[in-house]
Amino acid sequence: MPELPEVDALVSFLRAKVVGDFITRADIGELSILKTADPPLDAISGLEISGVSRVGKALIVEFDGLELVCRFARAGWLVWHDVVPTGPVKMGKGPLGLRIHLASGAGFDLSEAGTKKNAAVSLVSDRAEVPAIDKAGPDALSIEADEFTSALAGSTSRIKTVLEDQELIAGIGNAYSDEILHAAKLSPFAPASGVEAPALLETVREVLGRARETLVELPPEKVKAAKKRRLRVHGRTGKTCPVCGATIAEVSFADKSLQYCPGCQTGGKKLSDRRMDRLLK
Ligand SMILES: [Zn+2]
């Protein structure tokens, strides 16, 4: 799933490419992607793109009086076309969710790999009309120390769960929470209320800030691979920890998994899947 650093990279790329350009057409490739009906998607045809921004993991394309809020879910991403294909779009076939045509002849797709279609696009007059945006907590890169401290102190959940809770801290998902906890030498199962918040916030800023710096210069098609190359524990089950040399372990649950280093994070102890059930509650 694209998280804060990847979406920031997209924002930076798109800003340079599309602000000041006009939308000529929007094609829907997957009906379920569009979450709003009024105004209709056609309302953006003819409008000038005035800005591109981000809230948490969501990308927002701005017009005068309208905002297109794009949420990528786990397998969604943006495909840029210097020359956008103008042929008809086959509905419900393949990864294409939404295709935007620009007056310059360029364009971009919101595409989603796999059969689960969870990416979401909402056309609204104000981003706060989208509940996930309205409820989003402070951004992970700009959250104040006291807000971060009270988010942790007021929680009865495990630290991994708190870092991924978009209503407490916006922008962090499964990959960077693994990376942050590895860098902070904390077990993903540590109770959030017992974690030393100021030190962890430093690590949040370091890990996300470094990732953002690396990715922000890249075009969309290079971002995912560049993200993956930089990860130290996430998605690296069975490989060697670059910090301590221990073997990276995994806890898997129904539809995803987390990775951690027993050497760095749990005093050599393996976490069991049974405890994961409790983490989810
Ligand atoms: Zn390690």
Side-chain angles (χ1 to χ4, degrees):
M1 169 182 278
E3 301 176 36
L4 184 158
E6 294 84 66
V7 182
D8 256 355
L10 263 192
V11 168
S12 151
F13 174 87
L14 274 184
R15 254 185 209 150
K17 293 277 188 187
V18 307
V19 171
D21 206 342
F22 289 79
I23 305 244
T24 53
R25 199 170 99 205
D27 295 334
I28 288 278
E30 173 60 51
L31 268 182
S32 68
I33 201 170
L34 192 62
K35 302 302 177 195
T36 50
D38 182 28
L41 188 60
D42 281 349
I44 60 173
S45 295
L47 296 188
E48 181 181 358
I49 299 176
S50 55
V52 181
S53 54
R54 174 185 68 77
V55 173
K57 297 183 270 188
L59 173 83
I60 300 171
V61 182
E62 304 164 0
F63 311 91
D64 187 15
L66 284 175
E67 298 192 299
L68 193 69
V69 177
C70 308
R71 286 171 294 146
F72 297 104
R74 194 184 296 182
W77 192 234
L78 186 137
V79 178
W80 174 258
H81 301 285
D82 284 329
V83 179
V84 70
T86 51
V89 159
K90 282 184 192 153
M91 287 265 262
K93 299 245 166 88
L96 181 65
L98 173 71
R99 174 166 289 161
I100 299 289
H101 300 254
L102 299 167
S104 61
F108 56 91
D109 300 343
L110 295 180
S111 73
E112 189 175 22
T115 49
K116 276 191 189 164
K117 299 298 180 186
N118 295 321
V121 170
S122 307
L123 183 61
V124 288
S125 52
D126 186 301
R127 60 190 70 186
E129 292 168 44
V130 179
I133 303 291
D134 187 40
K135 285 191 256 165
D139 194 74
L141 269 183
S142 56
I143 189 169
E144 301 284 345
D146 55 341
E147 290 175 303
F148 189 76
T149 301
S150 51
L152 267 55
S155 175
T156 55
S157 301
R158 313 276 180 173
I159 188 63
K160 164 97 174 161
T161 310
V162 171
L163 287 178
E164 290 184 25
D165 185 339
Q166 301 305 298
E167 296 183 17
L168 290 174
I169 305 151
I172 302 170
N174 194 23
Y176 288 107
S177 57
D178 280 355
E179 293 299 302
I180 288 162
L181 292 172
H182 176 252
K185 300 195 184 303
L186 285 172
S187 165
F189 290 173
S193 57
V195 167
E196 206 200 313
L200 181 58
L201 180 56
E202 279 297 300
T203 310
V204 167
R205 288 174 178 158
E206 263 171 43
V207 169
L208 295 179
R210 265 204 316 265
R212 190 188 173 283
E213 234 169 76
T214 313
L215 302 178
V216 87
E217 303 295 326
L218 299 175
E221 69 271 17
K222 295 208 166 151
V223 168
K224 269 191 180 175
K227 170 192 186 178
K228 210 172 158 203
R229 273 198 304 276
R230 303 183 67 265
L231 298 174
R232 293 177 172 182
V233 281
H234 184 76
R236 300 189 69 245
T237 308
K239 302 211 165 83
T240 301
C241 170
V243 175
C244 75
T247 302
I248 300 198
E250 164 175 296
V251 178
S252 51
F253 32 127
D255 62 345
K256 61 176 187 174
S257 57
L258 68 79
Q259 284 81 32
Y260 67 99
C261 169
C264 293
Q265 295 174 257
T266 59
K269 227 171 53 185
K270 279 277 187 84
L271 301 171
S272 74
D273 286 8
R274 191 172 58 78
R275 291 181 64 196
M276 196 64 220
D277 296 335
R278 279 161 51 200
L279 171 65
L280 286 171
K281 282 173 188 155

